[in-house]
Amino acid sequence: MSNEKKRIRLGDLLVAQQLISQEQLESALNAQRTTGLKLGKQLIEMGYVEENTLLSLLSGQLDIPFVELKQFRFDRELVQSLPESLARRYRVMILRSDSDGLLLGMADPTDIFGLDELQRILDKPLKTAVVRESELLDILDMAYSRESEIASLAEQLDEELEADSVDLSDIITDATDNDAPVVKLLQKIFEEAINTKASDIHIEPDETVLRIRKRIDGVLVEQVMNEKRIASALIVRLKLMSNLDIAEKRMPQDGRFHLKVSGRSIDVRLSTMPVQFGESVVMRILDHTDGVRSLDQVGMPPIYIKRFRNIITRPHGLILVTGPTGSGKTTTLYGALSELNTPEKKIITVEDPVEYRLPRISQVQVHEKIGLNFGTVLRATLRQDPDILLVGEIRDAESAEIALRAAMTGHMVLSTLHTNDAVTSALRLIDMGVDSYLVASSLKAIVAQRLVRKICESCSQPHELTPQEKTFINSLRRSPSEAPMNFRQGQGCSHCYNTGYRGRIGVFELLELNTPMANALRDNNVREFNDAAHSDPHYRPLSASALEFALQGITSLEEVLRVSAQIEDESLAEITQPPTNMNY
């Protein structure tokens, strides 16, 4: 690469190509002094230039390749051969090493100061390629895993606990000592969880080892430590952070705390449980940095969003969002609340716990120990003149009946229910002991949802169907040859921790109750209700929605099978047989 090309001035080049104006360049340069961002990133953030346009321009002008990192199989050891601090400072990673030198992927290959520094440190011929910054940062998070640091800190903490001269209480409870080994270890554990986008952290003492497991894309990934004795130090520290009783080890406890990790605002819900070899701790991680997602961001298909928006703006009725734990029900409900949250509407939520905090909304935390349960709070909220109620979960006949009566008397009520699909949700309310006429009169719509894993783009390969899989697909589709099939499967790589999957996507089912369904509910006729639901031309089962993603190569047939297997109480054929006038 010639010096002339290396020393290209990005701003002048963009102006010369008429991609931005001189005024926009000056505006970005002024903003850059405050934000400290690279010029290219600053221009993208301000909306003056598209990222793809900028990268294509750099690739052409510098005569260097543009590398799609999503499809790139990186070598973790090779990436780690560059110190992490330099990789993050200059937004760079080593893509390849051969006899000609090193190929570097850079978000800004015009950064000549960064290149000079890298040349001095690496002491090999360097060639550059341009890459997307967001994809680069994702790989850096994966490549520079904190697992080795966690293991090292665990060993250090174990040594301190072993020393007779060390006071255990000082190690664990000194809240001002940020250099204490237990604090450093927990910090690294949380950093690793955030970087890998884990939803939960499990700390599990075994007979001879300590297991720390993270749930990534719904699947647990394990790290085993030989220093079992550090478990008590970690758990006591976490209890202190959650304001729990550190002396109580025989009874389960629940708590919550807030912290900032890697620049992100994190809420942690903590649960302790006495087990055979000590106490097990599970922490649910709630990342509030990006705020509440809108309905457009929760992953619901556009055709469903339009219908759902129409339903939630009605003056009264009960709307249920159903699915197992961790399926994104709360995210969907808060997406709806964020759109309904206007000065003209009085909104009250009753939750256990309050997961997101929204302005203008009265949010009530249920507290069972003092008698502040869902039923008590719901009765009180109806005297607060609400327009919209959000009930965190319908758990029993009492809360179900109050919610349904509120919906009948002129309130819009949103809630969740732990059922596997939309059709069985309405029947579950009746099973709870609620009068069928109440359900028929008040229930307006049910959304069922799941999260399915997306195939890793870096190791995705075509998948040949087995005869059994073909039979299963034909049971979900009207005929086996309606549309082209692009089934794929992940082979496992560094991007996806060898799972073949990376990230998740929502699968939705929307059932809007009509007159035949309401009549069937009033008569408590299960078969009639089921027939009426599947006869609705707008209704499409979860299995069929998941199959759509598999047909497009977004998820695997294995995930479709998993969604289908989760649906209970009816045979697969009965549940997934689509109406004859559906097109997909």
Side-chain angles (χ1 to χ4, degrees):
M1 184 187 302
S2 68
N3 287 338
E4 182 182 353
K5 286 183 178 176
K6 280 174 94 174
R7 297 182 181 276
I8 195 167
R9 290 174 62 90
L10 179 60
D12 294 340
L13 175 61
L14 290 167
V15 172
Q17 295 288 326
Q18 297 184 340
L19 293 172
I20 62 171
S21 66
Q22 186 65 40
E23 291 75 18
Q24 288 174 324
L25 174 60
E26 291 173 3
S27 175
L29 289 171
N30 289 332
Q32 189 186 17
R33 296 188 185 98
T34 303
T35 64
L37 296 174
K38 297 280 188 181
L39 179 59
K41 180 72 171 175
Q42 185 67 57
L43 289 164
I44 293 168
E45 290 282 324
M46 298 177 75
Y48 291 160
V49 65
E50 293 286 336
E51 184 178 28
N52 286 345
T53 304
L54 178 62
L55 296 178
S56 297
L57 178 69
L58 287 173
S59 175
Q61 290 293 320
L62 297 173
D63 192 24
I64 60 175
F66 167 57
V67 176
E68 290 271 8
L69 290 181
K70 282 186 178 180
Q71 278 77 44
F72 185 78
R73 304 285 289 270
F74 69 91
D75 183 327
R76 190 183 298 270
E77 290 186 5
L78 184 61
V79 173
Q80 290 177 344
S81 64
L82 183 66
E84 182 180 4
S85 58
L86 290 176
R88 293 190 181 278
R89 184 191 311 162
Y90 297 121
R91 298 294 194 259
V92 60
M93 65 175 282
I94 301 175
L95 299 175
R96 189 175 66 240
S97 176
D98 53 32
S99 56
D100 295 330
L102 300 176
L103 176 63
L104 305 180
M106 296 188 72
D108 180 11
T110 66
D111 184 356
I112 57 172
F113 299 108
L115 280 169
D116 288 344
E117 176 73 3
L118 292 167
Q119 181 67 75
R120 184 181 63 79
I121 291 171
L122 296 170
D123 196 26
K124 287 185 178 180
L126 301 181
K127 293 180 289 185
T128 57
V130 61
V131 297
R132 287 192 182 89
E133 183 172 349
S134 57
E135 295 175 357
L136 171 69
L137 291 175
D138 281 345
I139 287 185
L140 296 184
D141 286 341
M142 287 184 284
Y144 294 102
S145 170
R146 303 293 193 279
E147 287 190 2
S148 58
E149 293 179 61
I150 290 171
S152 173
L153 286 167
E155 189 176 338
Q156 181 183 343
L157 176 58
D158 187 58
E159 289 173 358
E160 293 221 9
L161 292 173
E162 196 173 35
D164 294 335
S165 60
V166 175
D167 187 342
L168 177 61
S169 61
D170 288 343
I171 294 176
I172 297 168
T173 61
D174 187 358
T176 62
D177 186 5
N178 290 325
D179 292 326
V182 68
V183 177
K184 286 183 177 180
L185 178 55
L186 284 172
Q187 181 181 348
K188 293 301 178 185
I189 289 172
F190 281 114
E191 283 180 2
E192 174 75 356
I194 294 303
N195 288 341
T196 56
K197 298 179 175 60
S199 60
D200 301 84
I201 302 172
H202 296 230
I203 298 177
E204 303 169 337
D206 210 332
E207 185 174 9
T208 57
V209 297
L210 171 65
R211 302 179 195 278
I212 296 181
R213 302 200 281 177
K214 304 183 295 291
R215 190 174 295 280
I216 302 171
D217 294 336
V219 178
L220 287 171
V221 178
E222 181 174 86
Q223 181 177 5
V224 179
M225 300 180 181
N226 293 322
E227 297 82 9
K228 178 184 177 287
R229 81 171 84 200
I230 71 172
S232 58
L234 289 175
I235 291 166
V236 169
R237 181 71 191 210
L238 288 168
K239 283 183 175 180
L240 287 168
M241 293 165 69
S242 308
N243 294 316
L244 300 181
D245 183 357
I246 62 173
E248 180 55 78
K249 299 179 181 179
R250 300 168 300 170
M251 296 291 291
Q253 297 186 72
D254 296 316
R256 184 172 186 162
F257 58 91
H258 180 84
L259 71 163
K260 286 191 176 293
V261 181
S262 302
R264 305 189 72 82
S265 178
I266 305 299
D267 264 347
V268 180
R269 293 210 315 254
L270 178 142
S271 171
T272 71
M273 176 75 72
V275 292
Q276 187 176 8
F277 299 107
E279 284 183 281
S280 168
V281 171
V282 176
M283 293 175 282
R284 168 64 57 88
I285 299 171
L286 302 168
D287 188 347
H288 295 315
T289 304
D290 299 327
V292 175
R293 294 185 181 183
S294 68
L295 282 179
D296 294 311
Q297 296 173 317
V298 301
M300 193 179 289
I303 189 170
Y304 282 2
I305 290 178
K306 184 177 179 181
R307 290 173 56 202
F308 190 61
R309 280 193 171 118
N310 181 54
I311 293 166
I312 64 175
T313 52
R314 293 176 184 175
H316 59 84
L318 172 65
I319 298 170
L320 290 176
V321 179
T322 73
T325 301
S327 59
K329 300 186 298 295
T330 304
T331 302
T332 299
L333 282 179
Y334 269 92
L337 279 191
S338 65
E339 297 200 2
L340 296 170
N341 187 12
T342 62
E344 299 81 26
K345 299 287 185 182
K346 168 78 170 182
I347 301 176
I348 302 177
T349 75
V350 185
E351 303 170 76
D352 184 21
V354 175
E355 293 195 11
Y356 297 94
R357 293 165 178 83
L358 291 174
R360 200 188 291 118
I361 293 180
S362 302
Q363 296 175 271
V364 183
Q365 167 80 54
V366 168
H367 200 325
E368 296 280 356
K369 289 182 180 178
I370 62 172
L372 193 65
N373 55 33
F374 275 99
T376 304
V377 178
L378 278 172
R379 289 190 187 90
T381 58
L382 294 177
R383 297 191 289 272
Q384 292 280 312
D385 188 29
D387 296 295
I388 298 165
L389 279 174
L390 184 146
V391 183
E393 182 186 345
I394 291 180
R395 296 182 175 180
D396 50 36
E398 182 187 26
S399 57
E401 185 165 339
I402 296 171
L404 285 162
R405 290 192 182 279
M408 184 183 280
T409 55
H411 304 87
M412 173 55 69
V413 182
L414 307 175
S415 189
T416 70
L417 198 63
H418 283 282
T419 51
N420 284 328
D421 68 336
V423 173
T424 57
S425 299
L427 305 172
R428 181 66 59 84
L429 291 174
I430 297 174
D431 291 341
M432 283 181 172
V434 181
D435 290 335
S436 57
Y437 79 89
L438 263 181
V439 180
S441 303
S442 305
L443 185 60
K444 301 302 180 188
I446 307 166
V447 174
Q449 64 184 80
R450 292 287 188 287
L451 292 174
V452 297
R453 292 180 292 171
K454 295 165 65 178
I455 296 170
C456 174
E457 294 183 27
S458 301
C459 59
S460 172
Q461 293 185 6
H463 173 64
E464 289 293 328
L465 297 177
T466 65
Q468 292 84 358
E469 289 171 338
K470 289 178 181 178
T471 302
F472 170 71
I473 292 164
N474 290 341
S475 74
L476 298 184
R477 305 178 77 207
R478 193 168 42 149
S479 73
S481 58
E482 283 183 358
M485 297 188 290
N486 180 33
F487 291 106
R488 302 186 73 81
Q489 188 75 39
Q491 301 303 303
C493 66
S494 301
H495 283 267
C496 59
Y497 302 96
N498 293 313
T499 63
Y501 297 97
R502 187 170 178 220
R504 291 189 287 180
I505 189 169
V507 177
F508 293 85
E509 172 181 293
L510 175 59
L511 182 66
E512 192 171 353
L513 272 72
N514 55 27
T515 301
M517 293 182 216
N519 290 336
L521 284 176
R522 194 172 283 108
D523 298 335
N524 197 9
N525 189 321
V526 175
R527 181 166 293 280
E528 189 178 318
F529 179 77
N530 186 57
D531 292 343
H534 286 89
S535 298
D536 184 348
H538 299 296
Y539 172 69
R540 180 165 65 173
L542 276 169
S543 301
S545 299
L547 181 61
E548 275 297 295
F549 287 128
L551 287 167
Q552 298 167 30
I554 296 172
T555 191
S556 68
L557 198 54
E558 177 187 27
E559 286 291 280
V560 181
L561 285 161
R562 183 175 63 83
V563 168
S564 300
Q566 288 177 339
I567 301 172
E568 62 183 359
D569 296 334
E570 295 178 85
S571 70
L572 181 63
E574 288 176 331
I575 293 174
T576 57
Q577 185 62 43
T580 56
N581 57 347
M582 286 176 56
N583 294 309
Y584 58 88

